[in-house]
Amino acid sequence: MEKSRVYFTREITPEAVVRVYNALGVELPGRVAVKVHSGEKGNQYFMRPEFWKPVVDKVNGTIVECNTAYGDKHHNGVRDNTDSHLKLIEEHGWNKYFNVDLMDAEGPDVVWPIPNGKVLKENHVGKDILNYDSMLVLAHFKGHPMGGYGGALKQLAIGCASAKGKALIHSAGVTNDRFECWAKHASNVLFPEAMADAASSIYRHFEGRIAFVNVMKNLSVDCDCCSDAEAPCMADIGILASADPVAIDQACIDLVMNSDDPGREHFMERVNSRNGIHTIEAAADLGYGTREYELIEL
């Protein structure tokens, strides 16, 4: 597989997001689903709707989210049921600027087979995903308590899965019950592989009609799903865009690892202790992206 192109700018502004997206030269046809992380209640560091507005307007997109599979001691969130999730989306200002679609607000889920999955045989996705012709994935790149890091692949996997789908990923296919899945949480080998599997089904559905932007800002070791995230441990790095979810996540990891920032070791300890890079390895092995890339600085 030839190298994928990853565009990069050190400027972190709403206008810079549009610039790196434009550099891709990708046309997203029809109705565009724009996947974001809308931020957990109390989270301090998620990317606000105002930041994303110019690029969402550029593609005339609809913001899409899904309910979470909370129900464990690690989370104190309110996004695990439709009513409180929609209320929080409004509190965070998403409705002020955009049409917002909570894709699994009403069942039944869409169940997509994963014929060559390493762990999962199927992915459960909010049925509203079928209303869209293309997808723009906007990720806040940072750490994650369970996945090690969160970027494009996590947005495709856990981000697009319904509550039942999230439970399947966390338990590596053992259960789709959001309360049971925490007691049966997969190992740090199977969990990254389950994420790579789930991400593959979303990517394949939109293949040729999907693009990715990762913003390396507010580099906490915790995710935007944490109601009280640890303070960022590294200085902001920049914005990346690619048509390849594997390449863009690998490029972000490399930018962290090649940094001389004193917080690098703390950030990478979180990634490595959770075997986070294995998600990238597994996704590359499944063949919907490559870890080999050309970083083109704008």
Side-chain angles (χ1 to χ4, degrees):
M1 188 177 288
E2 65 181 35
K3 289 184 178 181
S4 290
R5 290 185 172 186
V6 179
Y7 294 89
F8 172 57
T9 178
R10 297 181 189 276
E11 180 186 341
I12 303 180
T13 63
E15 295 73 26
V17 177
V18 175
R19 193 163 69 252
V20 294
Y21 168 76
N22 285 341
L24 289 176
V26 172
E27 288 294 326
L28 298 179
R31 291 194 66 190
V32 183
V34 181
K35 179 65 185 77
V36 301
H37 196 304
S38 58
E40 187 50 76
K41 190 174 183 69
N43 183 270
Q44 319 96 297
Y45 303 119
F46 73 95
M47 307 305 298
R48 267 49 179 189
E50 294 84 355
F51 183 83
W52 294 126
K53 186 177 187 303
V55 77
V56 179
D57 289 348
K58 163 80 179 173
V59 301
N60 192 29
T62 299
I63 296 295
V64 299
E65 263 282 35
C66 286
N67 286 316
T68 63
Y70 296 160
D72 75 316
K73 63 184 179 182
H74 300 291
H75 293 92
N76 188 32
V78 301
R79 297 183 305 128
D80 58 351
N81 71 85
T82 294
D83 289 344
S84 59
H85 195 173
L86 287 174
K87 183 180 178 183
L88 181 64
I89 284 171
E90 187 164 355
E91 287 175 11
H92 282 171
W94 294 98
N95 306 77
K96 179 180 177 181
Y97 302 105
F98 314 115
N99 292 323
V100 180
D101 184 357
L102 194 58
M103 293 192 293
D104 66 333
E106 298 178 10
D109 290 344
V110 173
V111 179
W112 282 342
I114 308 173
N116 299 312
K118 292 177 174 292
V119 176
L120 298 182
K121 302 303 180 194
E122 61 186 31
N123 189 21
H124 292 230
V125 185
K127 67 177 178 57
D128 286 3
I129 201 166
L130 297 178
N131 295 336
Y132 300 97
D133 304 297
S134 53
M135 178 174 274
L136 175 61
V137 179
L138 302 177
H140 172 207
F141 182 89
K142 69 287 177 196
H144 191 276
M146 296 181 179
Y149 84 95
L153 290 169
K154 177 183 174 290
Q155 278 283 60
L156 282 178
I158 294 175
C160 289
S162 67
K164 286 186 175 181
K166 289 177 173 67
L168 275 175
I169 296 167
H170 279 286
S171 67
V174 173
T175 180
N176 65 12
D177 184 281
R178 69 183 180 91
F179 295 103
E180 286 183 7
C181 75
W182 302 105
K184 299 175 180 178
H185 197 283
S187 70
N188 66 3
V189 172
L190 295 182
F191 177 50
E193 292 178 357
M195 281 210 290
D197 287 345
S200 72
S201 70
I202 307 295
Y203 180 84
R204 298 293 189 200
H205 179 76
F206 290 111
E207 191 165 3
R209 298 166 285 116
I210 189 167
F212 304 90
V213 174
N214 283 5
V215 176
M216 302 183 74
K217 177 179 173 64
N218 299 340
L219 288 161
S220 169
V221 297
D222 286 332
C223 179
D224 296 342
C225 60
C226 299
S227 57
D228 185 17
E230 184 181 302
C233 64
M234 294 184 68
D236 298 345
I237 293 176
I239 303 174
L240 298 85
S242 183
D244 183 334
V246 179
I248 195 171
D249 278 7
Q250 183 66 59
C252 287
I253 292 289
D254 290 344
L255 283 166
V256 171
M257 292 179 66
N258 294 330
S259 165
D260 57 5
D261 190 293
R264 175 190 64 183
E265 297 306 320
H266 182 57
F267 191 94
M268 288 309 301
E269 189 280 330
R270 172 59 60 92
V271 175
N272 292 327
S273 64
R274 272 63 167 183
N275 201 22
I277 294 171
H278 190 49
T279 307
I280 299 173
E281 294 170 340
D285 194 45
L286 287 168
Y288 59 96
T290 175
R291 300 176 74 184
E292 300 298 319
Y293 62 90
E294 177 187 5
L295 191 67
I296 302 166
E297 187 161 355
L298 303 177

